[in-house]
Amino acid sequence: MYMHGLLHERAAHARPVRVGLVGAGKFGSMFLAQVPSTAGLEVNIIADLDPDCARAACRATGWNDALLDRTRFTDDAFEAIRAGDVDVVVEATGDPAAGIAHARAAFAAGRHLVMVNVEADVLAGPLLAAEARDAGVVCTMAYGDQPALTCEMVEWARVNGFEVVAAGKGTKYLPSYHSSTPDTVWDHYGLSAAQARAAGMNSRMFNSFLDGTKSAIEMAAIANATGLAPPPDGLRFPPCGRDDLAHVLRPTEDGGQLHHRGQVEVVSSIERDGRPVPNDLRWGVYVVIEAPNDYTAACFRQYGMNTDASGRYSAMYKPFHLIGLELNVSILSAALLGRPTGAARDFTGDAVTTAKRDLAAGEALDGEGGFTVYGKLLPARTSLERGALPIGLAHGVTLKHAVEAGEVVGWDDVEYDPAQEAVRARREMEARFGMERRPAAA
């Protein structure tokens, strides 16, 4: 309500919060759908590789001619970022290298940045957040996406004196999904390729959600923002419904499936034999907490919270997330309050490149959602010790050595350009935030 009041003050004084949008895909389109009904917020410029498609997206999301006429369209992202009538840049391209370049341009121009591009955030987020602070602007996760929503729940728990035992999200998962490709992805969704094309569904994007890459990326983002640690050898994806979170996501010494307290984890909406999990959390986020004393545990019971058998572990969850329909929260928090809705603080987790099949020397990797590799969550220390190649840099690089299915691909396994800005930013982030996690011999 506080931001809502400030927004209406801005509207009443004809001083709207002015947005430049970079990328008018699905997330961007969902944000655009809320613009006509948000007094005090306007989108002055939209950058997309195809400006005509961006205009079509505006029309499809309810924009009238008057609103379209007040908005500029361009294929130059830097034009949108540097525009004089922009307060907040929304980076929604999904390209990690582009996201890093756009972020730095926004900071240089004195613009707040909403980083929808989780791929860029995981590749170099702690560095970008520090650069934003140095520039006196906000760099924030995108509210509506699961990482920011999970961070909000972690913050709620901690400021109220609860220990956060686990936090994360739900998804649909089977171990076999790690080998899924854009050619096989629609079988898992119960669609034909023709049906998916007719619906405008991108096979690589949907495959990234299915093969575990997006889960790894999003949990790494949460880990880096909250300090919650990944499990030592990747996400376990335990099948779990909403009512069983406090039972399943307890440490193993208390009868649960967590490797340790303070862990990020993703729960599956299906059992390993394919049966659906009752009351699944496929679209939602959660936090598992522990009562600090007997009185608090009794309150859990008195107020109807689901707990484990001991009564001390309980969980709060949000069953759905609305992606870009909720993005205004981040935009307005940055512009009106000067605060992020989640931001990387340290290098705690990483999404590393992992072979989907046996890969031969000379093969080119095709990155997130593709045919060759998927992203696996690892602790940052483990990633550095193994010299793991981040999934955000695994597109278009050629293997120097063969890599077996299921093995992590390392920097030394590929030919890459050390002068590329995204590579330099990643290496700088590792040096600045990863020194204490490096092995002693490094």
Side-chain angles (χ1 to χ4, degrees):
M1 293 300 295
Y2 184 58
M3 283 196 297
H4 186 250
L6 290 177
L7 184 63
H8 273 264
E9 286 181 21
R10 296 283 290 258
H13 292 89
R15 293 191 304 110
V17 173
R18 305 167 300 175
V19 177
L21 173 64
V22 181
K26 179 61 173 175
F27 200 113
S29 294
M30 293 180 78
F31 159 63
L32 292 171
Q34 301 307 107
V35 172
S37 58
T38 308
L41 182 144
E42 63 183 30
V43 178
N44 287 339
I45 186 166
I46 300 174
D48 193 88
L49 294 175
D50 189 336
D52 289 337
C53 284
R55 288 189 185 89
C58 290
R59 289 193 180 279
T61 56
W63 284 38
N64 58 29
D65 289 340
L67 197 54
L68 279 165
D69 289 343
R70 293 199 300 269
T71 304
R72 305 188 304 282
F73 294 85
T74 180
D75 61 1
D76 185 344
F78 296 99
E79 177 186 349
I81 291 166
R82 295 166 181 150
D85 55 352
V86 166
D87 303 309
V88 181
V89 173
V90 175
E91 212 293 347
T93 66
D95 183 314
I100 289 171
H102 296 158
R104 287 175 155 175
F107 306 155
R111 310 285 184 258
H112 299 304
L113 179 77
V114 178
M115 184 62 92
V116 178
N117 190 336
V118 190
E119 289 79 2
D121 190 37
V122 168
L123 187 59
L127 178 68
L128 296 178
E131 290 178 351
R133 289 192 295 271
D134 291 343
V137 296
V138 171
C139 179
T140 178
M141 290 178 173
Y143 199 90
D145 228 352
Q146 287 165 306
L149 297 180
T150 305
C151 290
E152 179 183 55
M153 299 192 81
V154 170
E155 182 78 354
W156 164 84
R158 286 173 168 170
V159 299
N160 285 302
F162 296 112
E163 179 184 1
V164 175
V165 179
K169 68 166 194 171
T171 195
K172 181 181 179 182
Y173 172 83
L174 288 175
S176 61
Y177 291 172
H178 288 310
S179 61
S180 176
T181 73
D183 284 345
T184 64
V185 63
W186 301 126
D187 295 338
H188 300 297
Y189 284 97
L191 297 171
S192 68
Q195 288 172 322
R197 282 194 300 271
M201 299 166 72
N202 183 297
S203 60
R204 289 183 66 96
M205 180 184 72
F206 277 83
N207 196 46
S208 173
F209 283 103
L210 191 76
D211 70 10
T213 301
K214 191 66 74 174
S215 289
I217 288 171
E218 292 185 337
M219 292 304 103
I222 294 168
N224 292 341
T226 64
L228 296 172
D233 194 35
L235 295 166
R236 298 181 178 183
F237 299 93
C240 182
R242 289 172 282 184
D243 296 339
D244 297 321
L245 290 165
H247 174 76
V248 173
L249 298 176
R250 299 175 294 175
T252 53
E253 62 265 26
D254 289 334
Q257 297 188 36
L258 287 184
H259 176 269
H260 59 264
R261 290 173 175 271
Q263 180 177 314
V264 290
E265 187 57 87
V266 177
V267 295
S268 177
S269 64
I270 54 176
E271 302 284 354
R272 292 295 189 260
D273 61 6
R275 289 179 296 117
V277 169
N279 300 314
D280 70 76
L281 198 67
R282 180 177 178 183
W283 309 108
V285 298
Y286 74 89
V287 60
V288 173
I289 57 178
E290 184 179 10
N293 51 57
D294 291 341
Y295 183 89
T296 301
C299 290
F300 285 172
R301 182 178 64 255
Q302 292 159 10
Y303 285 86
M305 292 186 71
N306 287 321
T307 67
D308 73 327
S310 75
R312 300 190 68 87
Y313 292 102
S314 189
M316 293 289 279
Y317 59 85
K318 189 172 186 177
F320 304 105
H321 66 297
L322 295 178
I323 324 292
L325 300 182
E326 301 180 79
L327 188 63
N328 284 356
V329 175
S330 289
I331 294 169
L332 299 178
S333 182
L336 301 178
L337 305 181
R339 294 186 177 278
T341 53
R345 299 185 305 176
D346 205 351
F347 185 35
T348 303
D350 199 12
V352 304
T353 305
T354 310
K356 287 187 173 181
R357 54 174 173 78
D358 290 343
L359 300 173
E363 283 197 70
L365 304 184
D366 57 355
E368 181 182 352
F371 292 85
T372 57
V373 293
Y374 70 93
K376 178 179 180 177
L377 179 69
L378 287 180
R381 181 189 185 103
T382 304
S383 174
L384 292 173
E385 289 173 346
R386 294 187 185 182
L389 179 72
I391 189 66
L393 295 176
H395 188 85
V397 293
T398 302
L399 284 173
K400 295 191 293 184
H401 312 116
V403 180
E404 294 182 359
E407 293 299 311
V408 170
V409 179
W411 286 95
D412 291 342
D413 292 319
V414 298
E415 299 281 359
Y416 65 91
D417 180 3
Q420 183 186 10
E421 182 179 13
V423 173
R424 288 188 288 109
R426 169 65 185 212
R427 289 306 208 185
E428 183 179 351
M429 189 273 289
E430 291 179 354
R432 182 168 173 179
F433 293 91
M435 288 302 295
E436 71 277 13
R437 296 184 179 84
R438 291 185 184 276

